[in-house]
Amino acid sequence: MRIVVVGGGVMGLATAWQLTRRGERPIVVERFARGHHEGASHGETRNDNNAYGDAHYLDLLALAREGWDALGEVDGEPLLRRHGLVSHGPGPALGAANRAPLAELADALTARGIPADLLDGAEAARRWPGMRFESTVLYSRDAGVARAAAALRELERRTVAAGGEVRGNTRVAAIAPDADGVDVVTDAGVLRADVVVATVGAWTEKLLGASGDAGPAATGGGVTRGGGLGIQPCWRDAG
Ligand SMILES: Cc1cc2nc3c(=O)[nH]c(=O)nc-3n(C[C@H](O)[C@H](O)[C@H](O)COP(=O)(O)OP(=O)(O)OC[C@H]3O[C@@H](n4cnc5c(N)ncnc54)[C@H](O)[C@@H]3O)c2cc1C
């Protein structure tokens, strides 16, 4: 299957790598040069937070962990550094519509086999001197930070090693599905695909329109939009 991934941030490169693991040879088209700072994925690290109040996020966390484990180490160090995470304070938990007490988060993590300890403020202050904790603290030693820039390089390396391609400095101007597939119109010509995955982050509306639709309904080709929460088909018709 000819698959084009538009956007070479972490979502696009991770999508491409996962496709190669399924035997596909995707082409990633990225408008800027490798290592650029224009999107959201650059920088040395990103927090890997597991203190989520929503079961859906915890499901995604488990899926993501499989990926991080498969990526393993680069330069003798894991791409995911699990040095622990402390959550405290009265704010809403990530992903929660309402304020979930830390005890509930701890229960949810424990139920999934994720280490989670509740500490009182005094114990937390003893463990992490220099920080002031006024209330209960949730500590999970299973969280930490992802080595963001190194992960991007590794995802690209694995994609290319498996027969995929990453084309930088190539902007996609339009995605046009028709009866038999999809035209991906770039600055460097038109690519023909069976499926396009658009992972362009903040540029999504600009490229796909406010509805996320790639164009007029057609049959045959498929376009999916990848967001921060996963890949969701936004238009597909098997014809
Ligand atoms: C400052 C900051 C801090 C953050 N901290 C955390 C954190 O601690 N933990 C965490 O989990 N998340 C964090 N996030 C969120 C996380 O970084 C993003 O969710 C993630 O990087 C999004 O990746 P992406 O691939 O969807 O988007 P991007 O990285 O923006 O990638 C989109 C790519 O599409 C390309 N593109 C756009 N238009 C086109 C086009 N027409 N043709 C070709 N290519 C195109 C862009 O150049 C870009 O490379 C943070 C984000 C920011 C900005």
Side-chain angles (χ1 to χ4, degrees), residues 5-14 28-33 36-42 45-49 52 94 144-146 148 152 167 169-175 184-187 198-204 206-207 226-229:
V5 178
V6 184
V10 68
M11 294 298 167
L13 291 173
V28 179
V29 184
E30 164 57 48
R31 68 183 296 172
F32 297 117
H36 75 83
H37 286 198
E38 306 295 332
S41 303
H42 63 276
T45 58
R46 286 290 184 280
N47 291 333
D48 172 56
N49 189 352
Y52 289 105
L94 285 174
V145 297
L152 293 181
R167 299 185 186 176
N169 293 313
T170 308
R171 186 180 69 95
V172 170
I175 298 173
V184 181
V185 183
T186 81
D187 291 342
T199 55
V200 290
W203 289 269
T204 302
K206 192 171 178 190
L207 184 63
L229 301 180

Side-chain angles (χ1 to χ4, degrees), residues 86 119-129 131 133 135-137:
V86 167
L119 312 173
D120 64 32
E123 169 60 15
R126 264 194 301 278
R127 285 203 197 186
W128 298 287
M131 293 185 71
F133 301 96
S135 53
T136 303
V137 169

Side-chain angles (χ1 to χ4, degrees), residues 86-90 101-104 106 117-124 128 132-139:
V86 167
S87 301
H88 73 115
L102 290 178
E104 275 181 29
D117 299 321
L118 286 174
L119 312 173
D120 64 32
E123 169 60 15
W128 298 287
R132 202 177 64 190
F133 301 96
E134 289 172 352
S135 53
T136 303
V137 169
L138 170 63
Y139 170 62

Side-chain angles (χ1 to χ4, degrees), residues 5-215:
V5 178
V6 184
V10 68
M11 294 298 167
L13 291 173
T15 299
W17 170 54
Q18 290 289 348
L19 286 167
T20 64
R21 296 178 86 197
R22 290 162 172 76
E24 304 292 347
R25 302 171 79 174
I27 299 175
V28 179
V29 184
E30 164 57 48
R31 68 183 296 172
F32 297 117
R34 181 185 296 113
H36 75 83
H37 286 198
E38 306 295 332
S41 303
H42 63 276
E44 283 311 302
T45 58
R46 286 290 184 280
N47 291 333
D48 172 56
N49 189 352
N50 63 8
Y52 289 105
D54 186 319
H56 176 62
Y57 283 76
L58 291 170
D59 291 344
L60 291 175
L61 187 73
L63 281 174
R65 280 300 166 84
E66 286 172 23
W68 286 112
D69 287 346
L71 284 174
E73 296 195 349
V74 169
D75 298 330
E77 198 193 348
L79 284 174
L80 195 60
R81 291 183 189 138
R82 293 176 198 179
H83 50 49
L85 177 88
V86 167
S87 301
H88 73 115
L94 285 174
N98 302 307
R99 293 181 179 198
L102 290 178
E104 275 181 29
L105 300 187
D107 286 347
L109 293 175
T110 304
R112 289 166 184 257
I114 301 171
D117 299 321
L118 286 174
L119 312 173
D120 64 32
E123 169 60 15
R126 264 194 301 278
R127 285 203 197 186
W128 298 287
M131 293 185 71
R132 202 177 64 190
F133 301 96
E134 289 172 352
S135 53
T136 303
V137 169
L138 170 63
Y139 170 62
S140 176
R141 64 176 182 275
D142 196 45
V145 297
R147 294 167 55 204
L152 293 181
R153 288 192 295 270
E154 179 64 6
L155 289 167
E156 177 171 348
R157 188 192 69 75
R158 287 181 182 237
T159 297
V160 172
E165 210 183 310
V166 179
R167 299 185 186 176
N169 293 313
T170 308
R171 186 180 69 95
V172 170
I175 298 173
D178 58 41
D180 305 313
V182 188
D183 275 345
V184 181
V185 183
T186 81
D187 291 342
V190 177
L191 288 169
R192 189 73 181 155
D194 298 307
V195 171
V196 174
V197 184
T199 55
V200 290
W203 289 269
T204 302
E205 192 170 326
K206 192 171 178 190
L207 184 63
L208 299 184
S211 66
D213 195 337

